[in-house]
Coordinates of all heavy atoms in Angstrom, one line a residue:
G11 N -22.7 20.3 12.8 CA -21.7 21.2 12.2 C -20.5 21.4 13.2 O -20.4 20.7 14.2
N35 N -5.6 2.3 -1.7 CA -4.9 1.1 -2.1 C -4.1 1.4 -3.3 O -4.7 1.7 -4.3 CB -6.0 0.0 -2.3 CG -5.3 -1.4 -2.5 OD1 -4.1 -1.5 -2.1 ND2 -5.9 -2.4 -3.0
G46 N -5.0 -13.2 -0.8 CA -3.9 -12.8 -1.6 C -3.1 -11.6 -1.0 O -3.0 -11.5 0.2
T74 N -20.0 15.0 14.5 CA -20.3 16.3 13.8 C -21.2 16.1 12.6 O -21.6 17.0 12.0 CB -19.0 17.0 13.3 OG1 -18.3 16.0 12.6 CG2 -18.1 17.5 14.5
E77 N -27.3 14.8 14.1 CA -27.7 15.5 15.3 C -27.9 14.6 16.5 O -28.1 15.1 17.6 CB -29.0 16.3 15.0 CG -28.8 17.3 13.9 CD -30.1 18.1 13.7 OE1 -31.0 18.0 14.5 OE2 -30.1 18.8 12.7
G78 N -28.0 13.3 16.3 CA -28.4 12.5 17.3 C -27.3 12.1 18.3 O -26.1 12.4 18.1
E81 N -27.2 5.2 21.3 CA -26.7 4.5 22.5 C -27.1 3.1 22.5 O -28.1 2.7 21.9 CB -27.1 5.2 23.8 CG -28.5 5.2 24.1 CD -28.8 5.8 25.5 OE1 -28.3 6.9 25.7 OE2 -29.6 5.2 26.3
A103 N -17.3 -2.9 19.7 CA -17.6 -3.4 21.0 C -18.2 -4.9 20.9 O -17.7 -5.8 21.6 CB -18.5 -2.5 21.8
V144 N -12.1 12.2 6.7 CA -12.0 11.2 5.6 C -13.3 11.3 4.8 O -14.4 11.1 5.4 CB -11.9 9.8 6.2 CG1 -11.7 8.8 5.0 CG2 -10.7 9.7 7.2
L150 N -12.3 5.6 0.3 CA -11.1 5.8 1.0 C -11.2 5.3 2.4 O -10.4 5.6 3.3 CB -10.7 7.3 1.0 CG -10.6 8.0 -0.3 CD1 -10.2 9.5 -0.2 CD2 -9.5 7.3 -1.2
G204 N -0.3 1.4 9.1 CA 0.3 2.4 8.2 C 1.5 3.1 8.8 O 1.5 3.3 10.1
H239 N -17.6 10.9 -7.0 CA -18.9 11.1 -6.4 C -20.0 10.1 -6.9 O -21.2 10.3 -6.7 CB -19.4 12.5 -6.6 CG -18.6 13.5 -5.9 ND1 -18.4 13.6 -4.5 CD2 -17.8 14.5 -6.4 CE1 -17.5 14.5 -4.3 NE2 -17.1 15.1 -5.4
S255 N -18.3 -15.1 -7.1 CA -17.6 -15.7 -8.3 C -16.3 -16.3 -8.0 O -15.9 -17.3 -8.5 CB -17.4 -14.6 -9.4 OG -18.6 -14.1 -9.8
D275 N -1.4 -21.4 -13.9 CA -2.6 -22.2 -13.8 C -3.7 -21.7 -14.7 O -4.8 -22.3 -14.8 CB -3.1 -22.2 -12.3 CG -2.1 -22.9 -11.4 OD1 -1.8 -24.0 -11.7 OD2 -1.7 -22.3 -10.4
V291 N -11.4 -14.9 -12.2 CA -10.2 -15.6 -11.6 C -8.9 -15.0 -12.2 O -8.0 -14.7 -11.4 CB -10.3 -17.1 -11.9 CG1 -9.0 -17.8 -11.7 CG2 -11.5 -17.7 -11.2
T296 N -3.7 -12.5 -11.7 CA -2.8 -11.5 -12.2 C -2.5 -10.3 -11.3 O -1.4 -9.8 -11.2 CB -3.2 -11.0 -13.6 OG1 -4.5 -10.4 -13.5 CG2 -3.2 -12.1 -14.6
A315 N 8.8 3.9 -11.5 CA 8.8 2.7 -12.5 C 7.6 1.8 -12.3 O 7.5 0.8 -13.0 CB 10.1 1.9 -12.2
H324 N -5.7 -1.4 -13.7 CA -7.0 -0.8 -14.0 C -7.7 -1.5 -15.2 O -8.9 -1.8 -15.1 CB -6.9 0.7 -14.4 CG -8.2 1.3 -14.6 ND1 -9.1 1.6 -13.5 CD2 -8.9 1.6 -15.7 CE1 -10.2 2.1 -14.0 NE2 -10.2 2.0 -15.3
G357 N -9.9 0.7 -4.4 CA -11.0 0.3 -3.6 C -11.9 -0.7 -4.2 O -11.6 -1.3 -5.2
V376 N -2.8 17.8 -14.6 CA -3.6 16.6 -14.6 C -5.0 16.9 -14.0 O -6.0 16.5 -14.6 CB -2.9 15.5 -13.8 CG1 -3.8 14.2 -13.7 CG2 -1.6 15.1 -14.6
E378 N -6.7 19.6 -13.8 CA -7.5 20.5 -14.7 C -8.0 19.7 -15.9 O -9.2 19.8 -16.3 CB -6.7 21.7 -15.2 CG -6.6 22.8 -14.2 CD -5.5 23.8 -14.4 OE1 -5.0 23.9 -15.5 OE2 -5.0 24.3 -13.4
V380 N -8.7 16.5 -15.9 CA -9.7 15.5 -15.5 C -11.0 16.3 -15.3 O -12.1 15.9 -15.7 CB -9.3 14.8 -14.2 CG1 -10.5 14.0 -13.7 CG2 -8.1 13.9 -14.5
A391 N -19.1 17.2 -11.3 CA -17.7 17.6 -11.1 C -17.1 16.7 -10.1 O -17.6 16.5 -9.0 CB -17.6 19.0 -10.8
P399 N 1.2 9.4 2.2 CA 1.2 8.2 3.0 C 1.5 8.6 4.5 O 2.5 9.3 4.7 CB 2.3 7.4 2.4 CG 2.5 7.9 1.0 CD 2.2 9.4 1.1

Side-chain angles (χ1 to χ4, degrees):
N35 190 16
T74 52
E77 294 183 15
E81 69 178 45
V144 185
L150 302 179
H239 298 297
S255 299
D275 294 307
V291 168
T296 58
H324 186 77
V376 172
E378 279 159 28
V380 172

